[in-house]
Amino acid sequence: MAISINRRAFSSLIASALIVPIRAAVHANQSDQPSAHDMSNTPEEWTGKERIYMLAYPGMTALDLVGPQYMFASLMGAEVKVIAKDSKPIVSDTGLTIMPDATFNELPEQITLIFAPGGTTGTLNAMRDAETIAFLKMAGARAEYVTSVCTGSMLLAKAGLLEGYKATSHWLTHPALENFGAIPTEGRVVIDRNRITGAGVSAGLDFGLSLVGKFRDQNYAESVQLLCEYAPEPPYNSGSQETAKPEQVHMLQSMLGGFVDLMKAEA
Amino acid sequence: MAISINRRAFSSLIASALIVPIRAAVHANQSDQPSAHDMSNTPEEWTGKERIYMLAYPGMTALDLVGPQYMFASLMGAEVKVIAKDSKPIVSDTGLTIMPDATFNELPEQITLIFAPGGTTGTLNAMRDAETIAFLKMAGARAEYVTSVCTGSMLLAKAGLLEGYKATSHWLTHPALENFGAIPTEGRVVIDRNRITGAGVSAGLDFGLSLVGKFRDQNYAESVQLLCEYAPEPPYNSGSQETAKPEQVHMLQSMLGGFVDLMKAEA
């Protein structure tokens, strides 16, 4: 379940909920959307005009993007678009295929937020792709907020967008931020001026919900949290280096250490 | 970051991590995949042959599907496919576009698991779609496990797959399960024999990780949890009816109550 992406979609959600459109006529002229549905129970300050662009690239981790996308899409009035180098389908590292909504050349002159998801080899390839890095530089200059989840911060770092900024990343690549002049900082969500970075994969939910609170207010964000029933109960307790068994930490380090070194070499 | 979807993808991940393929020759004949990479550090029991099919339909909540998809894709050797009525792009309720990997007529005779994600109007439409419900009946008969997240359980219920079973759903539709002969049961993840249902949206992560533990073992699941850094820190504390403010609960109930009634009417 999600609060839908824009005023029109939200209106149809309300319609689907059969709320009687009793005051629709009164409000008809207050909306630029063709709508016969009742928006009268929605406070005006709940609707915004954010332009949110989320980078997608082959081999990205889909969950890095889809967690925040859920939260961003709950911002009534916001435009949330997945943007990629071209319009081809994008296959994630888990084999999920996502279609972009826009291509690099369609980025508006001013946007509210640019977001970069992470991954492993796909992210390394993206770091090495001049066009992707040039796009991020451009988007970083046009955006009010420059953001990432997981190893997406390595892409921002490669584009020079984290130099002198506190930032976080996936725990495996966290130390590598320093190679790019960023200040590796502990935290599920790290905010330094207009740079907002989230930790690994699942941190995208905390990251996205934090931003909903920032762009609207606490009551709005709490309602979204209730809608997506975000009262997590992980069945195990090994989500961080501190709580996982040392041999699990070592296994992933040995499995992915070389990959981290390759990322560092891109500095 | 994700442990990749199959043996070949996992091999290339290992390759990307630059683990020296020193014993590749020894193991070359032990794999049916063309691979020159070292799999020797992976215990044999970590690789399975699950066939996991995830239903997708227009208006579904993408995060309901993508959370579990991440977890399922971490099962080395498992086949994880998104299956839909036809091969057209599927637009989720948050405006994310996903491409299916297979269509209903491509479902194998035997599968390990069928999964249904939730949504609002999209899910109601799917409940009313004879072809989708017939598919779920068929898949339910062919699957070892019949599963859902969020209002996906309403689809299972409509297909008669939860009659006499304990199950959960999104908190808003939780009471509606009873209309279909299911036994509404509190829980983030509810297991009754081979029916496994998760609560709303974000519960997909807990649901998926639980199944990783079931299909492999605790050590495997804990390693996956560490890989996706699933140590949640919601910035607010309103993820359930118990912790949210009463006016937030009432707002969502009044917004979506009619929708819940329409679902009940499908019983």
Side-chain angles (χ1 to χ4, degrees):
Chain A
M1 278 196 182
I3 292 185
S4 298
I5 191 169
N6 58 26
R7 203 177 178 92
R8 190 187 303 179
F10 189 78
S11 296
S12 68
L13 179 68
I14 296 287
S16 79
L18 286 189
I19 291 179
V20 185
I22 197 158
R23 283 191 277 174
V26 179
H27 288 257
N29 295 327
Q30 295 177 16
S31 168
D32 57 346
Q33 296 283 350
S35 171
H37 311 307
D38 182 21
M39 296 295 290
S40 58
N41 64 341
T42 309
E44 193 149 339
E45 66 271 21
W46 274 28
T47 299
K49 292 189 173 177
E50 293 85 1
R51 287 181 145 182
I52 293 172
Y53 281 76
M54 309 185 79
L55 172 69
Y57 54 86
M60 68 173 186
T61 300
L63 185 51
D64 288 9
L65 183 143
V66 177
Q69 199 271 351
Y70 178 94
M71 303 300 180
F72 292 153
S74 78
L75 294 166
M76 281 170 56
E79 174 184 273
V80 182
K81 291 201 172 176
V82 173
I83 191 163
K85 201 199 285 202
D86 54 48
S87 55
K88 283 188 289 205
I90 288 164
V91 182
S92 84
D93 61 355
T94 62
L96 190 83
T97 305
I98 289 175
M99 296 296 295
D101 306 308
T103 52
F104 287 173
N105 59 349
E106 294 175 289
L107 189 76
E109 289 298 324
Q110 286 198 316
I111 61 171
T112 309
L113 185 147
I114 183 72
F115 168 84
T120 53
T121 44
T123 311
L124 182 63
N125 291 341
M127 287 173 78
R128 289 169 171 171
D129 182 66
E131 209 178 325
T132 300
I133 296 305
F135 166 76
L136 280 174
K137 282 183 189 184
M138 179 178 74
R142 295 181 183 184
E144 282 175 57
Y145 297 95
V146 175
T147 74
S148 65
V149 161
C150 196
T151 55
S153 58
M154 300 307 293
L155 283 167
L156 300 185
K158 175 69 183 177
L161 294 167
L162 293 181
E163 221 174 304
Y165 286 88
K166 291 179 189 168
T168 191
S169 192
H170 190 279
W171 63 268
L172 277 160
T173 44
H174 197 266
L177 285 166
E178 203 166 13
N179 297 57
F180 296 84
I183 304 153
T185 305
E186 290 302 319
R188 192 84 174 149
V189 182
V190 170
I191 304 176
D192 184 358
R193 287 156 284 171
N194 74 336
R195 266 58 168 179
I196 306 176
T197 49
V201 193
S202 61
L205 278 74
D206 301 326
F207 160 90
L209 193 55
S210 299
L211 279 164
V212 170
K214 191 176 183 70
F215 286 134
R216 294 292 184 276
D217 59 29
Q218 181 170 344
N219 181 35
Y220 194 107
E222 286 177 351
S223 301
V224 172
Q225 185 179 3
L226 178 60
L227 188 67
C228 67
E229 217 165 334
Y230 188 36
E233 292 180 23
Y236 307 103
N237 184 30
S238 65
S240 72
Q241 290 182 85
E242 290 69 36
T243 57
K245 295 186 184 72
E247 56 268 33
Q248 292 163 345
V249 174
H250 295 150
M251 185 193 67
L252 292 182
Q253 278 172 334
S254 75
M255 200 183 268
L256 292 157
F259 156 75
V260 176
D261 289 341
L262 287 174
M263 281 201 161
K264 283 182 180 171
E266 290 300 315
Chain B
M1 277 198 184
I3 293 185
S4 298
I5 190 168
N6 57 26
R7 202 177 179 92
R8 190 189 301 178
F10 189 78
S11 296
S12 68
L13 179 68
I14 296 287
S16 80
L18 287 189
I19 291 178
V20 185
I22 197 158
R23 283 191 279 174
V26 179
H27 288 257
N29 295 328
Q30 295 177 15
S31 167
D32 57 345
Q33 295 284 350
S35 171
H37 310 307
D38 182 21
M39 297 295 290
S40 58
N41 63 340
T42 308
E44 193 148 339
E45 66 272 20
W46 274 28
T47 299
K49 291 189 173 178
E50 294 84 2
R51 286 180 146 183
I52 292 171
Y53 280 76
M54 310 185 79
L55 172 68
Y57 54 87
M60 69 174 184
T61 300
L63 184 52
D64 287 9
L65 183 143
V66 177
Q69 199 270 351
Y70 179 94
M71 303 300 179
F72 292 154
S74 78
L75 294 166
M76 281 171 55
E79 173 184 274
V80 183
K81 291 200 172 177
V82 173
I83 191 163
K85 200 199 286 202
D86 54 45
S87 56
K88 282 189 290 207
I90 289 164
V91 182
S92 83
D93 62 354
T94 62
L96 191 83
T97 305
I98 289 176
M99 296 297 294
D101 306 309
T103 53
F104 287 173
N105 59 351
E106 295 175 289
L107 189 76
E109 289 299 323
Q110 286 197 318
I111 61 171
T112 308
L113 185 146
I114 184 71
F115 168 85
T120 53
T121 45
T123 311
L124 182 63
N125 291 341
M127 286 173 79
R128 290 169 171 172
D129 182 67
E131 210 177 325
T132 300
I133 296 305
F135 166 76
L136 279 174
K137 282 183 189 184
M138 179 178 76
R142 295 182 183 183
E144 282 176 57
Y145 297 95
V146 176
T147 73
S148 65
V149 160
C150 197
T151 55
S153 57
M154 300 305 293
L155 283 167
L156 300 185
K158 175 69 183 178
L161 294 168
L162 294 181
E163 222 174 302
Y165 286 88
K166 290 180 190 168
T168 191
S169 192
H170 190 280
W171 62 269
L172 277 161
T173 45
H174 197 265
L177 285 166
E178 203 166 13
N179 297 56
F180 296 84
I183 304 153
T185 305
E186 291 301 319
R188 192 83 175 151
V189 182
V190 170
I191 305 177
D192 183 359
R193 288 156 283 171
N194 73 336
R195 266 57 167 178
I196 306 176
T197 50
V201 193
S202 62
L205 278 74
D206 301 326
F207 161 90
L209 193 56
S210 299
L211 279 164
V212 170
K214 190 176 184 67
F215 287 134
R216 294 292 185 276
D217 58 29
Q218 181 169 343
N219 181 35
Y220 194 106
E222 286 177 350
S223 301
V224 171
Q225 185 178 2
L226 178 59
L227 188 67
C228 67
E229 217 165 333
Y230 189 36
E233 292 180 21
Y236 307 103
N237 183 31
S238 66
S240 71
Q241 291 182 83
E242 290 69 37
T243 57
K245 295 186 183 72
E247 57 267 32
Q248 292 163 345
V249 174
H250 295 149
M251 185 192 68
L252 293 182
Q253 278 172 334
S254 74
M255 200 184 268
L256 292 157
F259 156 76
V260 176
D261 288 342
L262 286 175
M263 282 200 161
K264 283 182 180 171
E266 290 300 314

